[in-house]
Amino acid sequence: MTPYPEARLTVGSEDQELSDRLDRELTAYNRAAVDAEEAEVSVRAEDASGALVGGLTASTWGTLGSIHMLWVDPAHRASGLGGRLMAAAEEEAARRGCTVMEVSSYTFQAPPFYRRLGYTETGRIEGVPGGHADVYFTKPLAPAAPTPPFHLTAIVDYPADDTAPARAAEEAALALLSRHGGHLERRLTTPDGRSEVHLLRFPSESAYLADPDRPDPRATGTQIRVLEVGEIHG
């Protein structure tokens, strides 16, 4: 067996290029091993003036929901807002098919809070500065009531001249589907390649069309007509 050449190691501080590459590689590995897409979840809490007073970020991956960050403005703590944020995230995770939620919290943060919400400690890691520990919790989720899938049909007419930019923009738009739990069920193309029909399925009514990262088709001269589909036959 031919030995691998010796690798040169470089130790440093933050390396954004390295982080991005590791994220891409591990995401691809995970997707190959598990047939489930990871999708982000966010819950915002604003006061009457529109100021942010709390929020939560999480993700869903198959049947697993994970809480990443939870914050409540000090003036709104002990008001029940934290529990409302958690309940909203759990409801959304259950709607996406999750059966368990996980979260971790340092001992100086909020373990009692998560225990009150029905979370059970499953382990802890000692050695956190100040004599603290990182505590891991899980909670089973009740299955959400089944909802009928939400279907959209997009009729896409590409410009007559240079279609490459328009097609690239449409591929970028379709790449955002998983962010909203969506799936491209059918893609039909006319013989001349000038028009396509996309049948899109979502677990419920989706904000896909309003996604801020979705390219504006008008910028490439593409004409798109989107129709909600009530029934599918055949």
Side-chain angles (χ1 to χ4, degrees), residues 40-45 54-60 65-67 70 80-96 98 101 113 117 119 139 141-142 144:
E40 299 299 314
V41 178
S42 65
V43 185
R44 294 177 63 93
L56 178 153
T57 60
S59 64
T60 58
S66 303
I67 302 294
L70 170 65
L81 180 56
R84 291 174 57 199
L85 290 167
M86 289 292 294
E90 292 169 2
E91 181 180 350
E92 175 63 14
R95 186 188 66 79
R96 297 185 186 185
C98 293
M101 207 77 174
F113 167 75
L117 296 181
Y119 284 78
K139 177 182 178 179
L141 298 179

Side-chain angles (χ1 to χ4, degrees), residues 21-202:
R21 176 64 182 275
L22 295 182
D23 181 67
R24 291 194 303 271
E25 297 291 348
L26 291 175
T27 297
Y29 182 88
N30 293 344
R31 286 177 176 172
V34 179
D35 185 20
E37 291 286 341
E38 186 173 7
E40 299 299 314
V41 178
S42 65
V43 185
R44 294 177 63 93
E46 300 175 344
D47 64 13
S49 68
L52 185 69
V53 295
L56 178 153
T57 60
S59 64
T60 58
W61 185 33
T63 57
L64 176 65
S66 303
I67 302 294
H68 299 316
M69 293 187 289
L70 170 65
W71 170 80
V72 175
D73 184 271
H76 291 264
R77 292 173 187 169
S79 68
L81 180 56
R84 291 174 57 199
L85 290 167
M86 289 292 294
E90 292 169 2
E91 181 180 350
E92 175 63 14
R95 186 188 66 79
R96 297 185 186 185
C98 293
T99 58
V100 64
M101 207 77 174
E102 67 167 358
V103 65
S104 68
S105 177
Y106 295 126
T107 48
F108 61 82
Q109 291 178 325
F113 167 75
Y114 293 115
R115 291 190 180 98
R116 289 196 301 271
L117 296 181
Y119 284 78
T120 300
E121 180 177 337
T122 58
R124 61 175 56 202
I125 299 176
E126 305 291 342
V128 175
H132 294 285
D134 193 4
V135 187
Y136 289 79
F137 297 92
T138 61
K139 177 182 178 179
L141 298 179
T147 57
F150 182 73
H151 285 91
L152 292 175
T153 293
I155 303 171
V156 184
D157 293 318
Y158 294 114
D161 46 6
D162 185 9
T163 64
R167 290 182 179 279
E170 185 62 14
E171 293 298 334
L174 292 174
L176 300 175
L177 285 172
S178 62
R179 179 184 294 185
H180 304 275
H183 176 69
L184 178 62
E185 286 197 332
R186 297 288 299 277
R187 184 172 188 171
L188 309 175
T189 306
T190 56
D192 62 5
R194 287 281 313 285
S195 299
E196 292 188 347
V197 177
H198 301 162
L199 179 59
L200 312 177
R201 175 177 55 82
F202 299 90

